[in-house]
């Protein structure tokens, strides 16, 4: 049974859709401040928030007492790694003597032809290596494609298996439980393998480059992404394992109106990820 205090936390202005309370600490033991509110600054649709993919949103956290010397650390996470929020997990510190802190969460654009509105669940809790946290708050949001009236337009997608491929294997799977877009993905089989794509940009300017990929889940991945001859190494977050996909993107890539060449290749000596698709979208 929830304590009266916890029930009040969840019913009076937290915006949380659920909560979990850690076991009580022994009498006299130090405990962390409790997280009493997590507010997502986004429009609400029915019972959920709504985020246009590619935009960012602000989150405000409140704890139940002023933070002690050194501050109180809060960690925010996402439950489903396949969706288009790409800057979680993140941590923010409530300064000493204060009760609130804020952070900005970013998302990557999506192509409505490949990604429909996705239901995302996020959580947050106070954290410390030595002291127990008391309350974990949860909330939900839908991430939707940019409206047709948005002058930036939506993302443009190239399925990995449709690119110019070398040193790779196209793996197809018609199993209904296969999560790869188009029921196929590309696996790199040679150190110098690559997947190369031509994208037509509608206008000159800065763009996102977004990858949908899977890895073995144990470590972050590293890949070389070359855009019109300019090479960069990107770090891709660890996923839930092969066959489970997530999105990562980086912005500020200059593209020219017309044809642009993008190549995705393994970093020498690093284990490559499986590539499902590549997207571009105007910032």
């Amino acid at each position: 049974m929830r304590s009266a205090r916890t029930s009040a936390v969840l019913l009076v202005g937290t915006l949380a859709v659920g909560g979990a309370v850690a076991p009580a600490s022994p009498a006299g033991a130090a405990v962390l401040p409790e997280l009493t509110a997590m507010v997502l600054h986004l429009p609400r649709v029915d019972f959920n928030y709504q985020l246009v993919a590619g935009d960012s949103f602000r989150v405000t956290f409140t704890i139940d007492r002023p933070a002690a010397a050194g501050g109180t650390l809060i960690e925010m996470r996402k439950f489903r790694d396949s969706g288009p929020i790409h800057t979680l997990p993140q941590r923010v510190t409530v300064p000493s003597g204060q009760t609130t802190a804020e952070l900005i969460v970013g998302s990557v654009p999506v192509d409505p032809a490949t990604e429909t509105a996705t239901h995302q669940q996020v959580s947050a809790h106070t954290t410390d290596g030595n002291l127990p946290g008391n309350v974990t708050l949860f909330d939900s949001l839908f991430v939707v494609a940019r409206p047709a009236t948005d002058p930036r337009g939506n993302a443009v997608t190239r399925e990995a298996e449709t690119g110019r491929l070398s040193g790779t294997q196209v793996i197809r799977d018609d199993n209904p439980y296969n999560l790869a877009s188009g029921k196929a993905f590309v696996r790199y089989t040679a150190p110098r393998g690559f997947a190369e794509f031509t994208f037509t940009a509608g206008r000159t300017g800065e763009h996102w480059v977004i990858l949908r990929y899977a890895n073995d889940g144990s470590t972050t991945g590293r890949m070389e992404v070359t855009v019109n001859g300019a090479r960069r190494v990107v770090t891709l977050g660890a996923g839930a394992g092969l066959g489970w996909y997530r999105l990562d993107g980086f912005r500020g890539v200059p593209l020219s109106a017309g044809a642009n060449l993008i190549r995705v290749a393994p970093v020498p000596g690093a284990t490559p990820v499986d590539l499902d698709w590549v997207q571009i979208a105007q910032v």
Side-chain angles (χ1 to χ4, degrees):
M1 180 179 295
R2 288 193 181 101
S3 67
R5 180 183 184 188
T6 303
S7 296
V9 165
L10 296 178
L11 294 176
V12 182
T14 65
L15 300 182
V17 297
V21 179
S25 300
V31 295
L32 288 174
E34 293 182 357
L35 185 62
T36 60
M38 176 177 66
V39 180
L40 282 58
H41 297 278
L42 286 164
R44 289 187 73 91
V45 178
D46 295 326
F47 297 103
N48 299 285
Y49 295 99
Q50 181 169 295
L51 171 68
V52 175
D55 291 347
S56 299
F57 64 97
R58 182 168 52 94
V59 186
T60 302
F61 302 102
T62 304
I63 55 177
D64 66 347
R65 74 200 82 155
T72 295
L73 192 62
I74 297 172
E75 182 174 75
M76 187 175 184
R77 287 187 169 272
K78 183 165 69 77
F79 291 138
R80 293 197 291 171
D81 289 332
S82 61
I85 297 176
H86 77 112
T87 59
L88 293 180
Q90 277 195 30
R91 290 182 170 188
V92 64
T93 298
V94 180
S96 174
Q98 303 297 311
T99 58
T100 62
E102 292 188 340
L103 61 76
I104 302 296
V105 177
S107 69
V108 296
V110 298
D111 180 349
T114 59
E115 293 284 325
T116 58
T118 57
H119 182 211
Q120 304 292 311
Q121 292 181 309
V122 294
S123 70
H125 60 92
T126 55
T127 183
D128 185 280
N130 302 308
L131 300 178
N134 291 40
V135 172
T136 299
L137 299 184
F138 305 84
D139 223 322
S140 297
L141 62 153
F142 274 96
V143 182
V144 299
R146 290 170 174 170
T149 55
D150 191 317
R152 297 172 299 179
N154 283 302
V156 177
T157 306
R158 295 287 181 269
E159 293 284 349
E161 63 273 16
T162 66
R164 188 169 74 88
L165 305 175
S166 175
T168 63
Q169 178 185 4
V170 174
I171 299 178
R172 302 186 184 277
D173 187 356
D174 292 325
N175 187 304
Y177 297 105
N178 176 27
L179 300 178
S181 173
K183 303 298 183 183
F185 62 90
V186 166
R187 178 163 291 167
Y188 293 88
T189 56
R192 296 290 183 180
F194 64 84
E196 194 170 72
F197 312 89
T198 299
F199 284 89
T200 301
R203 63 184 70 178
T204 298
E206 292 190 347
H207 284 68
W208 286 87
V209 173
I210 305 151
L211 308 180
R212 188 173 194 257
Y213 66 92
N215 66 14
D216 64 8
S218 60
T219 60
T220 56
R222 296 175 69 236
M223 299 289 286
E224 291 182 356
V225 179
T226 303
V227 180
N228 295 330
R231 171 186 169 274
R232 69 172 71 193
V233 174
V234 297
T235 299
L236 304 175
L242 295 177
W244 294 88
Y245 294 88
R246 62 175 292 168
L247 307 183
D248 266 311
F250 51 97
R251 58 187 296 167
V253 179
L255 296 182
S256 301
N260 295 267
L261 194 64
I262 297 179
R263 174 181 288 202
V264 183
V267 170
T271 301
V273 301
D274 287 345
L275 185 64
D276 189 31
W277 50 241
V278 180
Q279 289 180 343
I280 64 167
Q282 188 178 2
V283 172

